[in-house]
């Protein structure tokens, strides 16, 4: 019978693995918005998103509600790494009548304890009498927390049953009780707490009172984690193995779906005591556990806790001894009537029996003191049962811990997790083998995790002071961060003003008399039609924009478009030689391409993408204004580049091509998408630079003769604001970036939006935040002070919606030789999000001006139009497109705008311009 009892209290390793898996499943269920109400492991958010960093300073009041006591502390931190906090405390006994009485009486009692404690601490230090004291409240019961200072009690446990509290905000109940203790000297309310009840008014008048605000609530488990975070390294897990049992840990915030927080990490209170309430532990729930459960105040609930909590272990032993006596395995021939009394065999008895290493003499003394008459064999067997019960409790704690460690390792995508675990409670302090079992079993179940156990000092109260201190530090930091970022955060009204300004500049650019002074040039492209799907044939495209250029053939057939292309190099000697030499080289490459493609027998229409500043005076006529990008070929500036290409073809006697259109890449983007969607009448580029084009009514284009039909207008909107109209949204960071570019004061709209500049704007913000001690402990690296070291592609990496990107942020910061904490990574992401959001919103404001003008031009209540988009920022940034589209909807609600990703606007698009021009020419003939 003894062996059978011992076996029932021993859980095999295979079963522990299964249990660990079930707990991980229930944890995921508890974190999910859809299933958390059904989960037994509740996974309650605590709204604690940071552990101490050692800079916290000030005085913090703590109230800790314990099993039979109220513990009050005053903790003073000095910003010295929290290694030497000054602490004063006082413990008050809590009467049973309060624990089981009215809720109001409980909170009044707690407030009275605070009052008495302050009387002693403040009277001993008069300089602190007018101090403003933030209070952290340790409340070790299951709550639904919705803010750090707002928590609704879900259920009492541990012998508490105060009426009128379940479903109420316990922070507000305590604050109200504090408010009632003593009103301020003038009797006008406020949170003024008198040190002594019954003081005379003259004492109030002398200012002997302090202001107390409850700013944070946590349970004892969270307090333990924060206490252990003060030991010189961050602690991210805590276990309380006491009368009750619980565990908390720092989870990735994006996985905590029951909150809106998605950045960084948040401490989650598992409330694992209810694990198994769905029957998943029935096979290891012994008859002794069942009897304890039946006799409890909450049968069927908190079944895991009842197997491991010290409130219940003595009772499990008691029922095991009763059952074994009935089976005549122990205490034969003697009375065990004393064991029939609930609570007679306490946890202290269990620990005294388990920890006795000096034979059975001490065990006999313990049992005889209870009124039993044990034999030597009885003493040995009682000791075996006690050790089995306590050993099982330690093993089950280790299994729960293993589930949490493996979950952390998996969700952080780490091969090995190294983590500190804070531990506290009667079982941990009273049972010397508890830590050994916790370590060995958790390592067996989670070999990929290495846990270091930190004993909690000063209880969870010290940790509560840290929670409060961290909350105030973060609140102060938040105010400073918001102050830095506020100028970059644009309201809908701000964006509406930008939209209106863009519209004004568009009208100026279209007007014949005002075009020369407009910052938005509104250049006519002489492209009058978009594709209609009837285009057919083979078309050449030439894409010249740098040291390499492309030649393409685009084959348009009924079944779709196919393309072939080749890249050719322009040697520096040719780039900087004569114009004839440059264009002869280009024609040689076109001839080479047509020979390879077997395209020399026909004259093919060619669309020419020429990415240099031009004044276009016809679809196939454009005067070069200036060379850029390292080109300086002579005899070209002021000349028609299409004619220069034709002259070269004539010199080479090449008849296989006919240049029919010169194309801007933005127009090419619109045309490339227009083949698939006839509603595509806008082109947008958001990459290294930014620009837009759209189909304008000819009657509005004052710079070109004729009123019939439409023409595509190349806006050149990057220069919007060069006349100073956007100065009100230019921040200090934008001005610094602008001043250090090769063209200060030019392309100012582009410098707020495009990929060439966003990384540098972020770098400037990081520099200021570091200077203000908000980042990197105020220590910038030399690399961070290097211009353009922060690449815009970093923004895309950093802003990935998946919380795992925080590890990638750390990698980027390490590359920049920055000593970055986890909190630095979270703030870094916020900076990037702010800069990229503003860029998307400004882009949307410009686009809103375009679509609203098109809608008004056409006299429509509702416009339906598509935008062809190209550019790495739009295509690769994880949120830019979503932010742009949302803002556009807000600014232009009467326009239904669809977005199409362009494929090769400068190649395919140029060929399609040629195809449309060819179609129009054939139609005229």
């Amino acid at each position: 019978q003894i062996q059978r009892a011992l076996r029932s209290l021993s859980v095999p390793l295979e079963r522990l693995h299964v249990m660990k898996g079930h707990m991980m499943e229930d944890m995921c269920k508890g974190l999910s918005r859809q299933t958390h109400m059904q989960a037994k492991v509740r996974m309650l958010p605590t709204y604690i998103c940071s552990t101490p960093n050692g800079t916290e300073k000030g005085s913090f009041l703590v109230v800790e509600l314990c099993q039979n006591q109220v513990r009050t502390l005053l903790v003073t931190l000095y910003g010295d790494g929290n290694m030497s906090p000054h602490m004063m405390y006082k413990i008050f006994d809590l009467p049973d009548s309060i624990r089981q009485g009215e809720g109001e009486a409980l909170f009044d009692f707690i407030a009275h304890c605070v009052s008495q404690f302050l009387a002693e601490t403040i009277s001993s230090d008069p300089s602190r009498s007018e101090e403003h004291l933030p209070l952290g409240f340790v409340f070790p019961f299951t709550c639904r927390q919705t803010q750090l200072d707002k928590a609704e009690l879900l259920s009492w446990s541990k012998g508490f049953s105060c009426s009128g509290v379940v479903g109420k905000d316990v922070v507000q109940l305590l604050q109200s009780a504090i408010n009632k203790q003593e009103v301020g000297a003038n009797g006008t309310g406020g949170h003024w707490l008198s040190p002594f009840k019954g003081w005379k008014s003259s004492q109030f008048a002398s200012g002997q009172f302090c202001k107390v605000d409850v700013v944070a609530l946590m349970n004892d488990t969270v307090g333990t984690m924060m206490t252990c975070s003060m030991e010189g390294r961050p602690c991210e897990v805590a276990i309380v193995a006491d009368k009750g049992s619980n565990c908390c840990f720092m989870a990735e915030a994006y996985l905590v779906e029951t909150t809106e927080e998605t950045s960084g990490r948040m401490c989650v209170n598992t409330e694992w005591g209810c694990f198994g309430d769905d029957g998943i532990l029935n096979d290891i729930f012994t008859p002794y556990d069942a009897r304890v459960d039946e006799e409890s105040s909450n049968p069927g609930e908190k079944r895991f806790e009842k197997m491991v909590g010290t409130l219940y272990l003595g009772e499990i032993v008691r029922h095991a001894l009763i059952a074994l006596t009935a089976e005549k395995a122990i205490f034969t021939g003697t009375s065990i009537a004393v064991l029939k009394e609930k609570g007679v065999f306490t946890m202290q008895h269990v620990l005294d029996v388990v920890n006795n290493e000096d034979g059975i003499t001490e065990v006999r003394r313990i049992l005889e003191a209870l009124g039993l008459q044990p034999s030597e064999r009885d003493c040995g067997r009682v000791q075996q049962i006690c050790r089995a019960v306590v050993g099982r409790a330690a093993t089950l704690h280790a299994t729960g811990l293993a589930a949490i460690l493996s979950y952390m390792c998996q969700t952080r995508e780490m091969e090995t997790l190294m983590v500190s675990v804070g531990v506290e409670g009667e079982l941990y302090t009273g049972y010397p083998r508890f830590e050994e079992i916790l370590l060995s079993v958790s390592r067996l179940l989670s070999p990929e995790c290495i846990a270091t156990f930190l004993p909690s000092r000063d209880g969870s109260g010290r940790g509560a002071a840290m929670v409060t201190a961290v909350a105030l530090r973060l609140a102060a930091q938040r105010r400073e961060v918001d102050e830095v970022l506020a100028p970059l955060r644009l309201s809908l009204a701000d964006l509406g003003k930008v939209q209106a300004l863009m519209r004004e500049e568009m009208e100026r650019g279209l007007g014949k008399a005002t075009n020369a002074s407009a910052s938005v040039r509104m250049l006519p492209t002489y492209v009058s039609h978009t594709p209609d799907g009837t285009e057919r044939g083979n078309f050449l495209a030439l894409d010249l924009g740098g040291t390499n250029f492309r030649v393409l053939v685009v084959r348009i057939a009924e079944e779709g478009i196919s393309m072939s292309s080749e890249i050719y190099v322009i040697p520096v000697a040719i780039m900087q030689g004569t114009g004839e030499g440059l264009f002869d080289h280009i024609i040689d490459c076109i001839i080479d391409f047509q020979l390879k493609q077997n395209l020399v027998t026909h004259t093919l229409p060619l669309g020419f993408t020429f990415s240099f500043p031009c004044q276009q005076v016809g679809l196939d006529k454009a005067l070069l204004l200036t060379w850029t990008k390292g080109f300086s070929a002579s005899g070209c500036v002021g000349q028609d580049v299409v004619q220069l290409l034709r002259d070269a073809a004539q010199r080479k006697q090449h008849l296989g091509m006919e240049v029919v259109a010169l194309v801007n890449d933005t127009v090419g983007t619109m045309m490339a998408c227009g083949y698939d969607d006839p509603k595509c009448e806008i082109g947008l580029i958001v990459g290294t630079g930014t620009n837009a084009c759209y189909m304008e009514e000819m009657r509005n284009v004052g710079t070109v003769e004729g009123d019939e039909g439409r023409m595509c207008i190349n806006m050149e909107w990057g220069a919007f604001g060069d006349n100073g109209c956007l100065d009100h949204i230019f921040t200090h960071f934008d001005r610094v970036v602008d001043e250090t570019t090769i063209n200060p004061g030019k392309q100012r709209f582009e410098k707020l939006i495009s990929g060439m500049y966003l990384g540098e704007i972020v770098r400037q913000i990081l520099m200021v935040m570091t200077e203000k001690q908000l980042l990197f402990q105020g220590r910038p690296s030399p690399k961070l002070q290097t211009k353009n070291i922060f690449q815009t592609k970093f923004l895309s990496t950093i802003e990935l919606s998946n919380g795992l990107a925080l590890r990638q942020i750390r990698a980027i910061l390490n590359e920049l030789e920055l000593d970055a904490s986890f909190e630095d990574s979270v703030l870094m992401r916020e900076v990037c999000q702010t800069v990229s959001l503003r860029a998307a919103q400004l882009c949307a404001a410009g686009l809103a001006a375009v679509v609203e003008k098109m809608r008004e031009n056409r006299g429509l209540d509702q416009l339906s139009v598509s935008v062809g988009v190209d550019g790495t920022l739009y295509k690769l940034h994880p949120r830019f497109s979503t932010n742009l589209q949302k803002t556009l909807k807000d600014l232009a609600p009467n326009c239904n705008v669809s977005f199409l990703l362009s494929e090769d606007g400068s190649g395919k698009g140029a060929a399609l311009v040629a195809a449309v021009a060819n179609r129009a020419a054939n139609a005229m003939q």
Side-chain angles (χ1 to χ4, degrees):
Q1 295 98 324
I2 290 291
Q3 290 305 313
R4 189 170 64 246
L6 293 173
R7 276 197 303 272
S8 73
L9 290 164
S10 174
V11 185
L13 184 61
E14 307 80 55
R15 180 63 181 86
L16 294 177
H17 273 292
V18 172
M19 178 180 161
K20 172 194 162 187
H22 285 148
M23 183 169 277
M24 290 178 71
E25 288 172 14
D26 218 31
M27 287 166 61
C28 293
K29 204 187 279 189
L31 288 170
S32 166
R33 186 178 286 108
Q34 284 74 36
T35 56
H36 76 100
M37 292 302 289
Q38 290 84 51
K40 297 305 176 187
V41 181
R42 298 297 300 277
M43 305 297 282
L44 302 174
T46 67
Y47 295 86
I48 292 166
C49 299
S50 181
T51 51
N53 69 359
T55 65
E56 294 80 11
K57 61 172 68 174
S59 293
F60 305 93
L61 189 59
V62 173
V63 176
E64 184 175 7
L65 181 59
C66 306
Q67 181 75 23
N68 302 303
Q69 300 169 329
V70 172
R71 188 165 177 250
T72 54
L73 299 90
L74 187 62
V75 181
T76 303
L77 302 170
Y78 299 101
D80 60 353
N82 302 323
M83 299 311 293
S84 55
H86 180 260
M87 299 178 63
M88 292 185 284
Y89 67 92
K90 184 176 177 64
I91 295 173
F92 299 85
D93 289 330
L94 181 65
D96 285 346
S97 59
I98 295 285
R99 291 193 302 137
Q100 287 149 19
E102 293 182 1
E104 186 176 5
L106 171 66
F107 288 97
D108 284 347
F109 180 82
I110 296 170
H112 177 69
C113 295
V114 173
S115 176
Q116 293 301 306
F117 174 61
L118 286 178
E120 296 175 18
T121 55
I122 289 177
S123 64
S124 65
D125 185 359
S127 66
R128 309 182 75 163
S129 61
E130 296 184 27
E131 203 166 343
H132 180 110
L133 281 177
L135 183 146
F137 185 22
V138 182
F139 188 73
F141 303 96
T142 306
C143 292
R144 179 183 293 112
Q145 204 157 351
T146 53
Q147 294 173 24
L148 189 57
D149 61 351
K150 191 175 180 62
E152 175 188 310
L153 177 64
L154 295 178
S155 63
W156 286 115
S157 59
K158 304 169 191 174
F160 281 75
S161 58
C162 300
S163 61
V165 183
V166 172
K168 300 283 182 64
D169 177 5
V170 293
V171 173
Q172 188 54 51
L173 291 174
L174 178 57
Q175 188 69 71
S176 298
I178 288 173
N179 295 353
K180 282 193 301 180
Q181 268 296 301
E182 283 293 351
V183 178
N186 57 10
T188 57
H191 307 160
W192 299 102
L193 200 60
S194 160
F196 294 107
K197 290 184 73 69
W199 265 21
K200 296 176 183 176
S201 59
S202 62
Q203 288 171 301
F204 279 113
S206 67
Q208 298 293 313
F209 46 81
C210 57
K211 190 171 189 287
V212 175
D213 283 311
V214 187
V215 300
L217 176 135
M218 70 236 65
N219 69 6
D220 52 347
T221 319
V222 176
T224 296
M225 184 183 80
M226 297 298 272
T227 296
C228 293
S229 288
M230 298 171 69
E231 304 301 322
R233 52 187 150 176
C235 177
E236 295 190 277
V237 186
I239 290 178
V240 170
D242 205 71
K243 290 180 170 58
S245 174
N246 198 11
C247 186
C248 69
F249 70 101
M250 296 300 287
E252 305 303 298
Y254 77 98
L255 295 170
V256 188
E257 295 181 5
T258 49
T259 72
E260 298 304 315
E261 184 62 56
T262 58
S263 290
R265 291 178 183 147
M266 180 182 287
C267 180
V268 170
N269 169 24
T270 65
E271 288 295 341
W272 70 12
C274 294
F275 179 55
D277 286 5
D278 55 359
I280 203 80
L281 299 179
N282 282 358
D283 59 318
I284 62 170
F285 208 65
T286 68
Y288 325 128
D289 298 310
R291 293 303 306 275
V292 171
D293 183 38
E294 288 164 11
E295 291 179 1
S296 69
S297 60
N298 54 348
E301 296 177 12
K302 298 219 168 191
R303 301 186 83 191
F304 182 72
E305 182 165 280
K306 287 170 185 171
M307 297 170 78
V308 301
T310 60
L311 188 64
Y312 306 98
L313 298 190
E315 282 296 285
I316 296 172
V317 170
R318 183 175 72 87
H319 281 292
L321 298 182
I322 291 171
L324 288 168
T325 302
E327 294 174 356
K328 296 186 169 31
I330 54 172
F331 300 125
T332 52
T334 66
S335 169
I336 61 157
V338 65
L339 291 178
K340 299 294 176 68
E341 182 184 341
K342 183 179 176 183
V344 72
F345 205 94
T346 67
M347 184 62 200
Q348 192 56 55
H349 290 131
V350 175
L351 291 174
D352 289 345
V353 169
V354 166
N355 295 334
N356 175 49
E357 301 294 340
D358 304 323
I360 57 150
T361 306
E362 181 62 18
V363 177
R364 182 188 296 277
R365 188 193 64 75
I366 294 166
L367 295 176
E368 286 178 348
L370 282 170
L372 296 167
Q373 298 174 335
S375 66
E376 189 172 326
R377 188 184 68 166
D378 292 337
C379 292
R381 290 183 169 179
V382 168
Q383 192 172 45
Q384 283 181 292
I385 294 295
C386 288
R387 285 178 174 164
V389 168
V390 174
R392 183 185 68 161
T395 299
L396 294 181
H397 272 104
T399 306
L401 175 62
I404 283 164
L405 296 180
S406 287
Y407 177 83
M408 290 172 71
C409 192
Q410 287 175 21
T411 55
R412 296 182 186 186
E413 285 196 345
M414 301 175 80
E415 290 183 11
T416 303
L417 174 73
M418 299 184 70
V419 69
S420 295
V421 180
V423 196
E424 185 178 29
E426 186 179 13
L427 189 57
Y428 173 65
T429 56
Y431 179 41
R433 288 200 61 222
F434 181 84
E435 183 173 331
E436 176 194 331
I437 294 170
L438 202 60
L439 180 62
S440 60
V441 175
S442 63
R443 284 304 302 272
L444 279 171
L445 296 174
S446 300
E448 76 282 14
C449 304
I450 301 170
T452 302
F453 296 102
L454 303 175
S456 173
R457 294 193 293 134
D458 306 312
S460 55
R462 185 180 175 192
M466 292 312 310
V467 171
T468 310
V470 169
L472 294 180
R473 170 174 63 80
L474 292 178
Q477 183 191 59
R478 171 46 48 196
R479 286 191 295 272
E480 284 200 72
V481 167
D482 286 343
E483 190 178 318
V484 172
L485 296 180
L488 294 119
R489 290 175 168 150
L490 302 177
S491 67
L492 204 57
D494 294 330
L495 296 168
K497 187 174 179 182
V498 173
Q499 177 183 350
L501 288 168
M502 176 68 85
R503 177 65 181 267
E504 286 177 24
E505 289 299 299
M506 288 170 69
E507 300 290 2
R508 285 166 57 80
L510 289 170
K512 188 172 185 177
T514 53
N515 171 266
S517 62
S519 66
V520 181
R521 295 296 306 279
M522 304 296 282
L523 303 175
T525 66
Y526 298 88
V527 172
S528 302
H529 302 279
T530 54
D532 64 4
T534 64
E535 294 80 11
R536 297 289 182 271
N538 295 338
F539 301 89
L540 292 173
L542 171 60
D543 179 12
L544 177 61
T547 53
N548 296 335
F549 73 97
R550 288 187 306 156
V551 183
L552 306 90
V553 61
V554 178
R555 298 178 173 89
I556 306 175
E558 195 168 338
E559 54 272 17
I561 293 179
S562 61
M563 295 191 296
S564 301
S565 67
E566 189 157 342
I567 294 173
Y568 294 91
V569 176
I570 304 177
V572 174
I574 292 178
M575 286 170 58
Q576 299 173 358
T578 65
E580 282 192 5
L582 172 63
F583 283 94
D584 283 353
H585 175 71
I586 291 170
I587 290 296
D588 285 340
C589 295
I590 292 172
I591 293 169
D592 174 74
F593 178 77
Q594 286 189 264
L595 283 168
K596 289 176 180 175
Q597 296 289 331
N598 295 318
L599 295 171
V600 290
T601 55
H602 296 91
T603 301
L604 298 180
L606 181 144
F608 185 10
T609 299
F610 187 72
S611 300
F612 298 91
C614 288
Q615 179 188 353
Q616 196 157 353
V617 291
L619 182 60
D620 60 350
K621 189 177 175 86
L623 307 179
L624 176 63
L625 298 176
T626 180
W627 282 118
T628 58
K629 306 173 190 178
F631 281 73
S632 60
S634 62
C636 298
V637 174
Q639 300 299 308
D640 175 6
V641 292
V642 172
Q643 191 57 48
L644 292 175
L645 189 63
R646 286 171 176 161
D647 291 346
Q650 196 169 356
R651 283 194 298 274
K652 296 287 183 177
Q653 297 183 339
H654 179 56
L655 304 176
M657 49 155 269
E658 178 188 359
V659 187
V660 297
L662 184 125
V663 185
N664 164 280
D665 57 351
T666 317
V667 178
T669 294
M670 179 187 78
M671 298 296 274
C673 294
Y675 183 81
D676 299 314
D677 180 359
K679 289 195 303 181
C680 184
E681 296 184 85
I682 301 171
L684 175 66
I685 303 282
V686 196
T688 308
T690 183
N691 194 17
C693 69
Y694 72 103
M695 297 302 290
E696 177 60 88
E697 308 301 312
M698 275 296 295
R699 66 177 183 273
N700 296 330
V701 186
T703 51
V704 177
E705 296 297 324
D707 290 340
E708 295 301 315
R710 294 172 182 154
M711 181 180 288
C712 181
I713 298 296
N714 167 24
M715 294 178 68
E716 291 294 343
W717 78 5
F720 175 43
D722 287 4
N723 59 359
C725 67
L726 293 182
D727 284 1
H728 64 289
I729 63 166
F730 250 63
T731 68
H732 160 76
F733 312 111
D734 301 312
R735 285 189 287 274
V736 172
V737 170
D738 179 39
E739 287 162 8
T740 56
T741 60
I742 60 170
N743 57 345
K746 304 293 184 186
Q747 297 294 108
R748 298 191 81 196
F749 191 58
E750 182 166 273
K751 287 171 185 172
L752 299 173
I753 291 175
S754 75
M756 181 175 281
Y757 306 99
L758 297 190
E760 184 61 10
I761 294 171
V762 168
R763 188 183 73 86
Q764 293 295 335
I765 297 170
L766 299 184
M767 294 273 286
V768 168
M769 285 191 168
T770 306
E771 189 180 316
K772 290 178 176 285
Q773 307 276 316
L774 298 172
L775 276 173
F776 317 130
Q777 297 178 315
R779 295 195 292 267
S781 70
K783 271 198 172 181
L784 186 61
Q785 296 169 355
T786 307
K787 183 184 172 187
N788 294 326
I789 194 73
F790 197 93
Q791 301 167 44
T792 295
K793 69 177 184 180
F794 290 169
L795 274 75
S796 295
T797 302
I798 285 167
E799 289 189 60
L800 286 169
S801 56
N802 191 328
L804 297 172
L806 287 167
R807 284 194 300 109
Q808 295 165 306
I809 298 174
R810 294 288 292 277
I812 290 169
L813 293 176
N814 289 338
E815 187 180 318
L816 297 175
E817 297 173 3
L818 289 162
D819 181 17
S821 68
F822 186 83
E823 283 73 22
D824 288 337
S825 301
V826 175
L827 182 50
M828 178 90 163
R829 182 158 68 180
E830 183 179 355
V831 171
C832 292
Q833 287 171 341
T834 302
V835 171
S836 70
L837 173 62
R838 184 186 66 155
Q841 289 175 328
L842 288 171
C843 191
L847 209 49
V850 172
V851 295
E852 276 296 310
K853 185 173 193 325
M854 292 175 72
R855 185 182 69 78
E856 291 174 22
N857 284 346
R858 300 174 189 189
L860 298 172
D861 293 331
Q862 195 80 23
L863 172 73
S864 187
V865 69
S866 296
V867 180
V869 197
D870 204 351
T872 51
L873 186 59
Y874 186 93
K875 287 182 171 180
L876 300 181
H877 190 280
R879 296 184 180 177
F880 191 93
S881 60
T882 304
N883 289 334
L884 186 155
Q885 292 173 36
K886 179 186 180 302
T887 307
L888 179 60
K889 191 68 183 169
D890 292 338
L891 293 172
N894 296 321
C895 300
N896 181 24
V897 185
S898 303
F899 289 80
L900 304 170
L901 289 180
S902 169
E903 296 173 23
D904 194 11
S906 55
K908 175 183 170 184
L912 279 163
V913 172
V916 171
N918 195 58
R919 186 195 78 207
N922 290 339
M924 287 182 70
Q925 289 172 4

